[in-house]
Coordinates of all heavy atoms in Angstrom, one line a residue:
W8 N -136.5 -21.0 260.8 CA -136.5 -21.2 262.2 C -136.4 -19.9 262.9 O -135.6 -19.0 262.5 CB -135.4 -22.1 262.6 CG -135.5 -23.6 262.2 CD1 -134.9 -24.2 261.1 CD2 -136.4 -24.6 262.8 NE1 -135.3 -25.5 261.1 CE2 -136.2 -25.8 262.1 CE3 -137.2 -24.5 263.9 CZ2 -136.9 -26.9 262.4 CZ3 -137.9 -25.7 264.2 CH2 -137.7 -26.9 263.5
A9 N -137.1 -19.7 264.0 CA -137.0 -18.5 264.8 C -137.2 -18.8 266.3 O -137.9 -19.8 266.5 CB -137.9 -17.4 264.3
Q10 N -136.8 -18.0 267.1 CA -137.0 -18.2 268.6 C -138.4 -18.0 268.9 O -139.0 -17.0 268.5 CB -136.1 -17.2 269.4 CG -136.1 -17.5 270.9 CD -135.3 -18.7 271.2 OE1 -134.5 -19.3 270.4 NE2 -135.4 -19.2 272.5
M11 N -139.0 -18.9 269.7 CA -140.3 -18.7 270.2 C -140.2 -18.0 271.6 O -139.7 -18.6 272.6 CB -141.0 -20.1 270.4 CG -142.4 -20.0 270.8 SD -143.2 -21.7 270.8 CE -144.9 -21.3 271.3
Q12 N -140.5 -16.7 271.5 CA -140.2 -15.8 272.7 C -140.8 -16.3 274.0 O -142.0 -16.7 274.1 CB -140.8 -14.4 272.3 CG -140.4 -13.4 273.3 CD -141.1 -12.0 273.0 OE1 -142.0 -12.0 272.2 NE2 -140.5 -11.0 273.6
N13 N -139.9 -16.4 275.0 CA -140.3 -16.8 276.4 C -140.6 -18.2 276.5 O -141.2 -18.7 277.5 CB -141.4 -15.9 276.9 CG -141.0 -14.5 277.0 OD1 -139.9 -14.2 277.5 ND2 -141.9 -13.6 276.7
F14 N -140.3 -19.0 275.5 CA -140.5 -20.5 275.5 C -139.1 -21.2 275.5 O -139.1 -22.5 275.7 CB -141.4 -21.0 274.4 CG -142.9 -20.8 274.7 CD1 -143.5 -19.6 274.6 CD2 -143.7 -21.9 275.0 CE1 -144.8 -19.4 274.9 CE2 -145.0 -21.8 275.3 CZ -145.6 -20.5 275.2
D15 N -138.1 -20.5 275.1 CA -136.7 -21.1 275.0 C -136.8 -22.3 274.0 O -136.2 -23.3 274.2 CB -136.2 -21.6 276.4 CG -134.7 -21.9 276.3 OD1 -134.0 -21.4 275.5 OD2 -134.3 -22.8 277.1
L16 N -137.5 -22.0 272.9 CA -137.6 -23.0 271.8 C -137.4 -22.3 270.5 O -137.7 -21.1 270.3 CB -139.0 -23.6 271.9 CG -139.4 -24.5 273.1 CD1 -140.9 -24.8 273.0 CD2 -138.6 -25.8 273.0
Q17 N -137.0 -23.1 269.5 CA -137.1 -22.7 268.1 C -138.3 -23.3 267.5 O -138.8 -24.4 267.8 CB -135.8 -23.3 267.3 CG -134.5 -22.6 267.8 CD -134.3 -21.3 267.1 OE1 -134.3 -21.2 265.9 NE2 -134.0 -20.3 267.9
R18 N -138.9 -22.5 266.6 CA -140.1 -23.0 265.9 C -140.1 -22.6 264.4 O -139.4 -21.7 264.0 CB -141.4 -22.5 266.5 CG -141.6 -21.0 266.4 CD -143.0 -20.6 266.8 NE -143.1 -19.2 267.1 CZ -144.1 -18.6 267.7 NH1 -145.1 -19.4 268.2 NH2 -144.2 -17.4 268.0
L19 N -140.8 -23.3 263.6 CA -141.0 -22.9 262.2 C -141.9 -21.7 262.1 O -142.9 -21.6 262.7 CB -141.6 -24.1 261.4 CG -140.8 -25.3 261.2 CD1 -141.6 -26.3 260.4 CD2 -139.5 -25.0 260.5
V20 N -141.4 -20.8 261.2 CA -142.1 -19.5 261.0 C -142.0 -19.2 259.5 O -141.4 -19.9 258.7 CB -141.6 -18.3 261.8 CG1 -141.7 -18.6 263.3 CG2 -140.1 -18.0 261.5
N21 N -142.7 -18.1 259.1 CA -142.5 -17.6 257.8 C -141.9 -16.2 257.8 O -142.2 -15.4 258.7 CB -143.9 -17.4 257.1 CG -144.7 -18.7 257.1 OD1 -145.7 -18.8 257.8 ND2 -144.2 -19.7 256.4
R22 N -140.9 -16.0 256.9 CA -140.3 -14.7 256.8 C -140.4 -14.2 255.3 O -139.8 -14.8 254.5 CB -138.8 -14.8 257.2 CG -138.6 -15.0 258.7 CD -138.9 -13.7 259.5 NE -138.6 -13.8 260.9 CZ -139.5 -14.2 261.8 NH1 -140.8 -14.5 261.4 NH2 -139.2 -14.3 263.1
N23 N -141.1 -13.1 255.1 CA -141.4 -12.7 253.8 C -141.2 -11.1 253.7 O -142.1 -10.4 253.6 CB -142.8 -13.0 253.3 CG -143.1 -14.5 253.5 OD1 -144.0 -14.9 254.2 ND2 -142.3 -15.3 252.8
P24 N -139.9 -10.7 253.7 CA -139.6 -9.3 253.7 C -140.1 -8.7 252.4 O -140.1 -9.3 251.3 CB -138.1 -9.2 253.8 CG -137.6 -10.5 253.4 CD -138.7 -11.5 253.8
G25 N -140.5 -7.4 252.5 CA -140.9 -6.7 251.3 C -142.3 -6.8 250.9 O -142.7 -6.3 249.8
I26 N -143.2 -7.4 251.7 CA -144.6 -7.5 251.4 C -145.4 -6.6 252.3 O -145.9 -5.5 251.9 CB -145.1 -8.9 251.5 CG1 -144.3 -9.8 250.5 CG2 -146.6 -8.9 251.1 CD1 -144.8 -11.3 250.6
V27 N -145.4 -6.9 253.6 CA -146.2 -6.1 254.5 C -145.3 -5.0 255.1 O -144.3 -5.3 255.8 CB -146.7 -7.0 255.7 CG1 -147.4 -6.1 256.8 CG2 -147.7 -8.0 255.2
E28 N -145.6 -3.8 254.7 CA -144.7 -2.7 255.1 C -145.2 -2.0 256.3 O -144.3 -1.5 257.1 CB -144.7 -1.7 253.9 CG -144.0 -2.2 252.7 CD -143.8 -1.2 251.6 OE1 -144.5 -0.1 251.6 OE2 -143.1 -1.5 250.6
Y29 N -146.5 -1.9 256.5 CA -147.0 -1.2 257.7 C -148.2 -2.0 258.2 O -149.0 -2.5 257.4 CB -147.5 0.2 257.4 CG -146.4 1.1 256.9 CD1 -146.1 1.3 255.6 CD2 -145.7 1.9 257.8 CE1 -145.1 2.1 255.1 CE2 -144.6 2.8 257.4 CZ -144.4 2.9 256.0 OH -143.4 3.7 255.6
V30 N -148.3 -2.1 259.5 CA -149.5 -2.7 260.2 C -149.9 -1.7 261.3 O -149.1 -1.3 262.1 CB -149.2 -4.1 260.8 CG1 -150.5 -4.6 261.5 CG2 -148.8 -5.1 259.7
I31 N -151.2 -1.3 261.2 CA -151.7 -0.4 262.2 C -152.8 -1.1 263.0 O -153.8 -1.7 262.3 CB -152.3 0.9 261.5 CG1 -151.2 1.6 260.8 CG2 -153.0 1.8 262.5 CD1 -151.6 2.7 259.9
I32 N -152.8 -1.2 264.3 CA -153.7 -1.9 265.1 C -154.3 -0.8 266.1 O -153.6 -0.2 266.8 CB -153.1 -3.0 265.9 CG1 -152.5 -4.0 264.9 CG2 -154.2 -3.7 266.7 CD1 -151.7 -5.2 265.6
N33 N -155.7 -0.7 266.0 CA -156.3 0.3 266.9 C -155.7 1.7 266.7 O -155.6 2.5 267.7 CB -156.3 -0.1 268.3 CG -157.2 0.7 269.2 OD1 -158.3 1.2 268.8 ND2 -156.9 0.8 270.5
G34 N -155.3 2.0 265.5 CA -154.7 3.4 265.2 C -153.3 3.5 265.6 O -152.7 4.6 265.4
K35 N -152.6 2.5 266.1 CA -151.2 2.6 266.5 C -150.4 1.7 265.6 O -150.7 0.6 265.2 CB -151.1 2.0 268.0 CG -151.8 2.9 269.0 CD -151.5 2.4 270.4 CE -150.0 2.6 270.8 NZ -149.8 2.2 272.2
L36 N -149.2 2.3 265.2 CA -148.3 1.6 264.3 C -147.7 0.4 265.0 O -147.0 0.6 266.0 CB -147.3 2.6 263.8 CG -146.6 2.3 262.5 CD1 -147.6 2.2 261.4 CD2 -145.5 3.4 262.2
A37 N -147.9 -0.8 264.5 CA -147.3 -2.0 265.0 C -146.1 -2.5 264.2 O -145.2 -3.1 264.8 CB -148.4 -3.1 265.2
V38 N -146.2 -2.3 262.9 CA -145.1 -2.6 262.0 C -144.8 -1.4 261.2 O -145.7 -0.8 260.5 CB -145.5 -3.8 261.1 CG1 -144.4 -4.1 260.0 CG2 -145.8 -5.1 261.9
N39 N -143.5 -1.0 261.2 CA -143.1 0.2 260.5 C -142.0 -0.2 259.5 O -141.0 -0.7 259.9 CB -142.6 1.2 261.5 CG -142.3 2.5 260.8 OD1 -142.8 2.9 259.7 ND2 -141.4 3.3 261.5
K40 N -142.3 0.1 258.2 CA -141.3 -0.3 257.1 C -140.8 -1.7 257.2 O -139.6 -2.0 257.1 CB -140.1 0.7 257.2 CG -140.5 2.2 257.0 CD -139.4 3.1 257.0 CE -139.8 4.6 256.8 NZ -138.7 5.5 256.9
G41 N -141.8 -2.6 257.5 CA -141.5 -4.0 257.5 C -140.9 -4.5 258.9 O -140.8 -5.8 259.0
Q42 N -140.7 -3.7 259.8 CA -140.2 -4.1 261.1 C -141.2 -4.0 262.2 O -141.9 -3.0 262.4 CB -139.0 -3.2 261.5 CG -137.8 -3.3 260.5 CD -137.2 -4.6 260.3 OE1 -136.9 -5.3 261.3 NE2 -137.1 -5.1 259.0
V43 N -141.3 -5.2 263.0 CA -142.2 -5.2 264.2 C -141.6 -4.2 265.2 O -140.4 -4.3 265.6 CB -142.3 -6.6 264.7 CG1 -143.2 -6.6 266.0 CG2 -142.9 -7.5 263.7
L44 N -142.4 -3.3 265.7 CA -141.9 -2.3 266.7 C -141.7 -2.9 268.1 O -142.5 -3.8 268.5 CB -142.8 -1.1 266.7 CG -143.0 -0.3 265.4 CD1 -143.9 0.9 265.6 CD2 -141.6 0.1 264.9
D45 N -140.7 -2.5 268.8 CA -140.4 -3.0 270.1 C -141.5 -2.9 271.1 O -141.7 -3.8 272.0 CB -139.2 -2.3 270.7 CG -137.9 -2.7 269.9 OD1 -137.9 -3.7 269.2 OD2 -136.9 -1.9 270.0
Q46 N -142.3 -1.9 271.0 CA -143.4 -1.7 272.0 C -144.5 -2.7 271.8 O -145.4 -2.8 272.7 CB -143.9 -0.2 272.0 CG -144.4 0.3 270.6 CD -143.4 1.1 269.8 OE1 -142.2 0.7 269.8 NE2 -143.8 2.2 269.2
L47 N -144.6 -3.3 270.7 CA -145.7 -4.3 270.5 C -145.5 -5.4 271.5 O -144.5 -6.1 271.6 CB -145.7 -4.9 269.1 CG -146.9 -5.7 268.7 CD1 -148.1 -4.8 268.5 CD2 -146.7 -6.5 267.4
G48 N -146.6 -5.7 272.3 CA -146.5 -6.7 273.3 C -146.0 -6.2 274.6 O -146.0 -7.0 275.6
K49 N -145.6 -5.0 274.7 CA -145.1 -4.4 275.9 C -146.0 -3.2 276.4 O -146.1 -3.0 277.6 CB -143.7 -3.9 275.7 CG -142.7 -5.0 275.4 CD -141.3 -4.4 275.1 CE -140.3 -5.5 274.7 NZ -139.0 -4.9 274.3
Q50 N -146.6 -2.6 275.4 CA -147.5 -1.5 275.8 C -148.9 -1.8 275.4 O -149.2 -2.5 274.4 CB -147.1 -0.2 275.0 CG -145.7 0.3 275.3 CD -145.4 1.6 274.5 OE1 -146.2 2.1 273.7 NE2 -144.2 2.0 274.6
T51 N -149.9 -1.4 276.2 CA -151.3 -1.6 275.9 C -151.7 -0.5 274.9 O -151.0 0.4 274.6 CB -152.2 -1.4 277.2 OG1 -151.9 -0.1 277.8 CG2 -151.8 -2.5 278.2

């Protein structure tokens, strides 16, 4: 269970630490060492 951001609801999700370490979107780091970066969804 995790918070559904800006919906004030809990929802079912998947949490699998230790698999996806980095995600790069359009050349910008979105996930760093397994953590979603704060600027994702806030910066264009």
Side-chain angles (χ1 to χ4, degrees):
W8 291 102
Q10 188 73 15
M11 188 172 180
Q12 188 181 17
N13 296 320
F14 279 75
D15 192 28
L16 293 169
Q17 292 279 307
R18 67 169 162 194
L19 290 182
V20 298
N21 306 114
R22 289 288 185 266
N23 308 117
I26 304 179
V27 175
E28 296 185 344
Y29 299 90
V30 178
I31 298 166
I32 303 175
N33 192 30
K35 296 184 66 174
L36 203 60
V38 174
N39 184 24
K40 297 180 181 178
Q42 299 300 311
V43 176
L44 297 184
D45 288 341
Q46 55 264 41
L47 192 73
K49 299 175 182 176
Q50 297 178 4
T51 57

